[in-house]
């Protein structure tokens, strides 16, 4: 089993005629993802890698019955792409695009709150359920099907973690890259909940980093609701202290967002926090005993 | 992007938010001329983009020309957290009856614009937020980009009992929100937000930060950036599509992806070394980027070794390898290179590098260990 996507997920690619969109559409197809269509306004009727291109999400949904959309459009069009998916009730939206203005995301969040849609990202690597489907930009071949759930705020660091799992013969149920932007559609808590409910996920690896308050909320959630073992790695212990944002930032976050503080909070919640990505497999073995 | 107080004040003025009369000067003569126009007493304030300016002695109220000149010169010679003072704001001193706090910002977790207000303004506002959180008003805009005053009238009503002040506050908030929305701000803050002796509301300070992702649609804001606060190497790196931050150590790092770059710095530290920089070559596969990254890193004369840690995804390892080979031909690299490549096109990359006589690692721990050893 897996969370969010599997072999039956039918995905459309927004921005499929662009450089990144066409490249990754092909990579996803090769991995076995059911890529059923692409959307680029004004380019409907064309084909990219044998995938039909439509002018709008509505048209693509009507013709293909897609239930997921992945966005590779430039930052200035990303808001409209997300809003179009939400308006058309696409249940799962993955936005890879980097550099989306924060106020655009406020609008998107508002639209999401009035819908049944889930957004992953923006500025994220996407997600994969190994052996079934990958939607995003991660290298498929480093993954392996199994029962470890991985959730992360980072891209390449997640690959590092997954690679260490795979070479130690620990497959993954699903790996979800949440994205590095301040406002994102899906957070640690949401994915932890899904992994906790997924009967085929036995343990969870979370990869966090300095800044923000997500790991703290995750720790609170784990303490109350997660019975499966959780192993965490937090990046950024040597990163220079973040630049301050007036007083308002401190008033809003009202907590210590250093890597060390996050590690301690997670430890206090019963999470096994490790120092080096290659220590994860051992920590998982120990916690699964 | 942060801007100086006087530029934020200009924006406030443009949007109709009341500020004290004044201007900036680089010389005491200029300051005196401004003070003669506004009338004494005046407040003079160092224009620096770091916090704690007041505590460092960078703000002073002066009552006459002689004091203005001597205090101006004193502040001009201050070094505030590593920054010299070039410009001072000279503004008519406000007769402060009471200090409040008013700001508009983003609550990331809620994904919403939030108004923050308090009847306890001033430098201790963060302390108040911790010890007396009930004294901080947070009002969420619920994702609505409206300028309808009725919406946030409750904020003003909580701050002030006087109806005239409520109205004035509501109107100032509208202007602050308009500025926030129109310029893609991540913060617009008035602290202190003051009632004057005459009973009027005025912004006694101005702080505005813009969302970097929003700058593309605001070319008019770019000249407001103070280049003095930007590291030249960091700016050059940015222009070349790299993300670079200089640190104190001697192990140069070239990594793809910000998370792995931080993870690599942590690993160097954990295994007993000291990272010299954060450098993320980004997601694309351009060999040129490796050359540029090496050039920037090698300007740091403390460097003893360069660790290249690549996990290929979108980035292809063979492109990185080609970049390394191009760099070896074009520039002199006087320190050892420790190269770790895993992921997309790893085999091709290893063939390229091995035939050029370079050793590569597959394991991050091995590579970091080797780099730390070479740095001693």
């Amino acid at each position: 089993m897996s969370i969010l996507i599997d072999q039956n997920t039918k995905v459309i690619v927004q921005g499929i005629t662009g450089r990144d969109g066409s490249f990754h559409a092909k990579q996803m197809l090769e991995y076995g993802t059911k890529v059923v269509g692409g959307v680029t306004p004004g380019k409907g009727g064309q084909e990219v890698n044998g995938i039909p291109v439509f002018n709008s999400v509505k048209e693509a949904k009507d013709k293909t019955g897609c239930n997921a959309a992945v966005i590779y459009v430039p930052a200035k069009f990303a808001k409209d792409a997300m809003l179009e998916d939400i308006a058309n009730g696409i249940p799962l939206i993955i936005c890879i695009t980097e550099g989306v203005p924060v106020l655009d995301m406020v609008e998107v969040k508002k639209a999401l709150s009035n819908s049944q849609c889930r957004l992953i990202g923006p500025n994220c690597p996407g997600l994969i359920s190994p052996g079934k489907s990958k939607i995003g930009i991660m290298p498929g071949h480093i993954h392996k099907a199994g029962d470890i759930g991985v959730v992360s705020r980072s891209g390449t660091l997640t690959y590092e973690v997954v690679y260490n799992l795979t070479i130690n013969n620990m497959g993954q149920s699903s790996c979800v890259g949440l994205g590095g932007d301040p406002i994102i559609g899906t957070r640690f808590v949401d994915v932890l909940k899904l992994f906790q409910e997924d009967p085929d996920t036995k343990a969870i690896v979370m990869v966090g980093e300095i800044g923000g308050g997500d790991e703290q909320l995750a720790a609170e959630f784990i303490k109350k609701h997660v019975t499966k073992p959780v192993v965490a790695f937090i990046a950024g212990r040597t990163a220079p202290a973040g630049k301050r944002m007036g007083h308002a930032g401190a008033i809003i976050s009202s907590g210590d967002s250093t890597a060390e503080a996050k590690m301690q909070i997670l430890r206090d919640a019963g999470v096994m926090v490790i120092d080096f990505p290659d220590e994860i497999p051992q920590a998982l073995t120990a916690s699964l005993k | 992007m942060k801007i100086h107080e006087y530029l934020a004040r200009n924006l406030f003025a443009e949007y109709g938010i009341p500020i004290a009369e004044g201007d900036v000067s680089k010389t005491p003569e200029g300051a005196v001329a401004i003070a003669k126009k506004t009338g004494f007493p005046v407040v003079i304030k160092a224009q620096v983009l770091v916090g704690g300016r007041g505590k460092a002695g960078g703000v002073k109220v002066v009552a006459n020309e002689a004091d203005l000149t001597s205090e101006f010169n004193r502040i001009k010679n201050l070094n505030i957290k590593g920054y010299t003072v070039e410009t001072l704001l000279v503004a008519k001193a406000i007769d402060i009856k009471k200090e409040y706090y008013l700001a508009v910002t983003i609550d990331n977790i809620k994904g919403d614009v939030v108004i923050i207000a308090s009847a306890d303004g001033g430098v201790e506002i963060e302390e108040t937020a911790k010890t007396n959180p009930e004294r901080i008003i947070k009002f969420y805009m619920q994702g609505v980009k409206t300028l309808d005053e009725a919406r946030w009238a409750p904020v003003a009503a909580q701050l002030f009992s006087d109806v005239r002040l409520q109205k004035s506050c509501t109107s100032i908030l509208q202007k602050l929100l308009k500025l926030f929305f129109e310029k893609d701000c991540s913060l617009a803050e008035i602290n202190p937000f003051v009632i004057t002796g005459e009973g009027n509301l005025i912004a006694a300070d101005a702080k505005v930060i813009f969302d970097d992702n929003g700058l593309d649609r605001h070319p008019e804001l770019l000249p407001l950036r103070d280049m003095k606060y930007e590291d030249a190497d960091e700016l050059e790196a940015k222009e070349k599509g790299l993300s670079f931050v200089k640190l104190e150590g001697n192990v140069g790092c070239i990594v793809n992806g910000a998370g792995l770059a931080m993870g690599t710095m942590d690993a160097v530290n954990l295994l007993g070394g000291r990272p010299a920089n954060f450098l993320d070559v980004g997601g694309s596969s351009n060999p040129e980027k490796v050359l540029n990254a090496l050039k920037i890193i090698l300007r740091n004369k403390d460097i003893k070794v360069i660790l290249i840690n690549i996990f290929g995804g979108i980035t292809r390892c063979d492109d990185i390898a080609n970049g390394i080979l191009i760099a070896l031909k074009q520039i002199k690299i006087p320190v050892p290179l420790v190269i770790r490549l895993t992921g997309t096109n790893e085999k091709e990359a290893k063939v390229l590098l091995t035939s050029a006589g370079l050793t590569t690692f597959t394991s991050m721990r091995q590579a970091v260990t080797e780099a730390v050893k070479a740095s001693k």
Side-chain angles (χ1 to χ4, degrees), chain A residues 153 157 161 188 206-211 214-216 218 231-238 257-267 271-277 280, chain B residues 259 262-263 266:
Chain A
R153 281 172 67 188
L157 183 57
V161 167
F188 276 125
M206 68 177 266
V207 183
E209 54 187 55
I210 48 160
D214 265 22
E215 289 80 357
Q216 294 86 319
V231 174
F233 176 73
I234 307 290
R237 281 199 274 178
T238 45
S257 62
T258 60
E260 300 288 355
K262 291 186 177 196
M263 291 165 78
Q264 193 52 49
I265 289 169
L266 285 165
R267 273 192 209 107
V271 174
M272 193 178 283
V273 183
I274 50 89
D275 288 322
F276 210 100
I280 292 175
Chain B
M262 278 197 284
D266 292 350

Side-chain angles (χ1 to χ4, degrees), chain B residues 115-143:
Chain B
I115 296 168
I116 305 175
S118 176
D120 301 324
V123 290
E124 302 303 334
I125 184 73
E126 285 180 39
E127 200 46 44
T128 304
K130 272 188 210 142
T131 53
N132 297 84
E134 75 286 352
R135 298 192 59 81
I136 305 280
I137 303 163
K138 290 182 194 168
F139 182 86
Y140 287 90
M141 293 298 287
Q142 317 282 351

Side-chain angles (χ1 to χ4, degrees), chain A residues 99-102 104 110 137 139 154 156 160 163 182 187 214 217 235-238 244 247-248 250 276 278-279, chain B residues 2 101 108-109 126 142 187 189 191 211 213 217 256-257 259-260 265-267 269 311-312 314 340 342 362 365:
Chain A
V100 182
V102 176
D104 286 4
K110 170 78 178 168
I137 58 175
S154 159
T156 47
E160 182 71 43
Y163 171 77
R187 298 189 170 272
D214 265 22
L217 294 176
R237 281 199 274 178
T238 45
R244 288 174 47 86
H247 294 289
F276 210 100
D278 66 8
E279 293 166 3
Chain B
K2 285 187 181 184
Y101 176 90
N108 291 333
I109 300 223
E126 285 180 39
Q142 317 282 351
L187 174 74
E189 182 182 75
N191 185 35
D211 170 17
N213 285 350
R217 45 192 183 202
N256 66 322
L260 188 59
M265 284 159 37
D266 292 350
N269 195 55
F311 206 113
I314 304 192
R340 184 273 179 133
T342 306
T362 305
R365 186 183 284 270

Side-chain angles (χ1 to χ4, degrees), chain A residues 131-195:
Chain A
K132 296 171 182 165
S133 182
K134 88 157 186 162
I135 303 181
I137 58 175
M138 67 288 283
H141 70 272
I142 60 168
H143 298 79
K144 173 183 158 68
D147 54 16
I148 309 292
V150 179
V151 58
S152 169
R153 281 172 67 188
S154 159
T156 47
L157 183 57
T158 318
Y159 310 163
E160 182 71 43
V161 167
V162 167
Y163 171 77
N164 278 292
L165 291 174
T166 298
I167 58 174
N168 284 285
N169 211 22
M170 292 182 156
Q172 307 93 44
S173 52
S174 297
C175 306
V176 185
L178 302 173
D181 277 4
I183 300 181
I184 47 176
T186 298
R187 298 189 170 272
F188 276 125
V189 168
D190 307 308
V191 178
L192 286 169
K193 184 166 184 286
L194 293 172
F195 278 139

